[in-house]
Amino acid sequence: MTAPDSQDRARDGFYRLLAAAMTYGWARLMAFLAWMALLVSTYASLDGVIGEGTVAPLGLVTLKTVPLLLAVLVALPNVMLHIVARMILFRFSRRNFNLLCREAPAEAALPDEVKARCQATWAYERGRAQMRYESGLLPQVGVFGLLASAMLAFCILGIHLPPSQLFPNLGGELPTWHIWVAWTVLSTATTSFMLSVGRILVRIAGYDATTRTFADAARSFGLCVVSGGLLACLTVSSTDPKTAQASIAMGIAVGLLGDRAFIAVSNRAAALLGTEVEVVEPGIGLRVIEGVGAEDSQRLQEENVTSVHALAFVPVPRLFFNSSLNLQRICDWQDQALLFVYVGESRAKALREQFQIRGAIDAQRLGRGFEDMPAEVQQQLVVSLNFPSPTHARQLFARLAVDPRIDELRAYRAAELSLEPLLDDRRA
């Protein structure tokens, strides 16, 4: 390589890094500036209202202790989430798997183009997952952290600021109901956030946290806050001496219920308006796949896999890199899903119960030997599967014998995985 070529390549690499920083860095910068403005505004609003003691960090500036402590508490959610995000990025950088296609014993040989296609899909999905983590994780975390900090700041200001500052245009006796609503929302936000962080940490421990995890957590947090605020406005009475206790208890209960509280509030609001809310559980059709439980179905929904058809045709590497699912388990689920899609649910169950055909790979093996079967066995197969004639069965099995999707699934099921050595290991 000549010197001008190396200089051109270095310059192109610098421009690509600069473009990436301009594309993804501005979102994080704007979120950081909004977060800093929120902290400064929170402290400035509380500075003249509460607190007598002062503290001088490094002797540079004198700050009131209580407003500073509350501002720090407002800042903690965003800081905590960014620490968690760095944990995810560090762990994902250690999951650099390579795929080695090999022949499975007692199976027909795989064409070279099938192996090459699987290798290309694996490399593409690995790069796609890496881009998804590196470019999308921190902005998602920033939005969730900013939302949590903003909710805490608004609740703290609603509790501590005098009513005369919040309602300057009202004369006579100033209302105090907003204080109890703020306590309810604060309890809801705190409970929901702590539960969300706990679930995210469990997902990280299982190598199963993605950008969708933070998006769902932010959505659940927002729904809980809205539900808590609405319930507080409808039920809290400022004349009840036990209002403070009831407000905090209600907020904790809403935070524990999570999305179910929002569904309950939505149904109640729909009943008041004379309409009905239809609650449909997505992904329930996945239960027909053996081995897919309620938690597995919910996890597949996070990857937009909500039906048997979607499970049959989602790329295997995409599920592998975006979850903690075992490669063989993914292949087993897709094997069953392909059979359901190709022959139908009733025929797939008949094949399993009467011929021990569990998935599309077994059906392909059966189809390749269909012509060599005795006539009575062929007839029994036609009758069991409710085909009009042997010709229809022959046509189906002939298509399964050369189906490229089944061949790819065979390649993934027989493949071996290896971890790519890290730079530190190679240097050692």
Side-chain angles (χ1 to χ4, degrees):
M1 183 184 296
T2 60
D5 292 339
S6 62
Q7 293 177 358
D8 293 340
R9 179 167 297 183
R11 184 166 54 252
D12 294 340
F14 171 75
Y15 288 146
R16 283 195 296 269
L17 289 176
L18 182 61
M22 293 292 290
T23 303
Y24 304 115
W26 280 109
R28 292 189 293 237
L29 178 60
M30 295 299 294
F32 176 75
L33 293 178
W35 178 65
M36 290 298 298
L38 178 66
L39 299 182
V40 173
S41 301
T42 302
Y43 176 82
S45 301
L46 299 174
D47 184 28
V49 178
I50 60 176
E52 299 294 337
T54 59
V55 62
L58 302 178
L60 299 178
V61 61
T62 302
L63 302 174
K64 284 191 174 182
T65 306
V66 177
L68 178 62
L69 177 60
L70 293 177
V72 170
L73 292 178
V74 170
L76 283 180
N78 210 354
V79 176
M80 186 184 304
L81 289 175
H82 275 83
I83 294 174
V84 172
R86 288 300 177 182
M87 293 170 58
I88 296 176
L89 292 175
F90 176 80
R91 289 203 165 195
F92 182 78
S93 65
R94 266 59 182 172
R95 294 189 67 213
N96 202 3
F97 289 96
N98 292 323
L99 183 75
L100 177 61
C101 293
R102 61 180 180 86
E103 299 292 343
E107 289 281 356
L110 290 169
D112 293 336
E113 58 267 20
V114 173
K115 297 180 182 179
R117 188 163 59 246
C118 290
Q119 294 281 4
T121 304
W122 186 272
Y124 167 76
E125 292 296 339
R126 184 174 65 177
R128 183 177 181 268
Q130 183 176 1
M131 182 182 300
R132 179 184 179 184
Y133 276 88
E134 294 179 352
S135 62
L137 182 62
L138 291 181
Q140 290 277 6
V141 171
V143 171
F144 184 20
L146 184 60
L147 176 64
S149 296
M151 290 298 102
L152 294 182
F154 292 155
C155 293
I156 290 174
L157 292 178
I159 293 171
H160 290 92
L161 291 183
S164 59
Q165 294 186 13
L166 296 176
F167 307 101
N169 297 325
L170 294 180
E173 184 179 358
L174 296 176
T176 58
W177 58 266
H178 64 281
I179 299 177
W180 315 120
V181 173
W183 272 113
T184 302
V185 176
L186 179 61
S187 303
T188 301
T190 304
T191 305
S192 176
F193 180 78
M194 296 305 296
L195 292 178
S196 298
V197 171
R199 285 191 290 264
I200 291 173
L201 290 177
V202 172
R203 295 280 294 270
I204 294 175
Y207 291 91
D208 198 25
T210 64
T211 54
R212 183 68 181 265
T213 304
F214 287 91
D216 288 340
R219 171 185 172 276
S220 179
F221 178 82
L223 293 180
C224 288
V225 169
V226 172
S227 303
L230 179 58
L231 286 176
C233 291
L234 294 176
T235 60
V236 168
S237 173
S238 59
T239 60
D240 188 353
K242 296 183 179 180
T243 297
Q245 181 180 356
S247 301
I248 297 175
M250 183 187 303
I252 295 175
V254 173
L256 291 174
L257 289 175
D259 293 353
R260 290 175 294 175
F262 179 78
I263 295 175
V265 173
S266 299
N267 292 337
R268 184 62 180 272
L272 292 175
L273 296 176
T275 61
E276 294 184 0
V277 176
E278 182 180 1
V279 180
V280 180
E281 182 185 358
I284 194 172
L286 294 172
R287 305 289 181 83
V288 299
I289 303 299
E290 183 179 344
V292 177
E295 294 183 0
D296 298 321
S297 176
Q298 184 178 3
R299 183 63 187 88
L300 290 173
Q301 291 174 46
E302 293 186 16
E303 301 301 327
N304 294 325
V305 178
T306 58
S307 64
V308 175
H309 188 277
L311 178 60
F313 293 101
V314 66
V316 173
R318 182 171 301 176
L319 287 182
F320 177 78
F321 284 111
N322 292 337
S323 70
S324 62
L325 295 172
N326 182 272
L327 181 62
Q328 297 301 320
R329 196 180 185 194
I330 296 173
C331 292
D332 176 58
W333 289 353
Q334 290 203 328
D335 187 25
Q336 299 179 59
L338 277 175
L339 185 62
F340 272 81
V341 171
Y342 285 161
V343 305
E345 183 176 350
S346 61
R347 288 173 178 164
K349 291 181 178 179
L351 283 172
R352 175 179 298 181
E353 294 172 357
Q354 302 181 28
F355 298 93
Q356 304 303 313
I357 302 298
R358 193 167 184 272
I361 296 177
D362 292 338
Q364 185 187 64
R365 189 185 303 113
L366 177 67
R368 286 174 176 171
F370 182 77
E371 297 296 337
D372 300 331
M373 294 179 182
E376 59 272 13
V377 178
Q378 290 185 2
Q379 186 62 30
Q380 181 184 1
L381 187 60
V382 171
V383 172
S384 300
L385 298 183
N386 196 23
F387 281 119
S389 67
T391 304
H392 294 81
R394 188 175 292 108
Q395 181 180 5
L396 171 65
F397 287 124
R399 183 170 61 86
L400 293 179
V402 295
D403 186 80
R405 182 69 180 130
I406 300 179
D407 290 337
E408 291 180 10
L409 193 58
R410 287 173 49 209
Y412 286 123
R413 193 175 71 169
E416 292 181 352
L417 296 179
S418 62
L419 276 172
E420 184 176 312
L422 303 176
L423 293 177
D424 296 339
D425 297 338
R426 288 197 292 262
R427 290 174 183 172

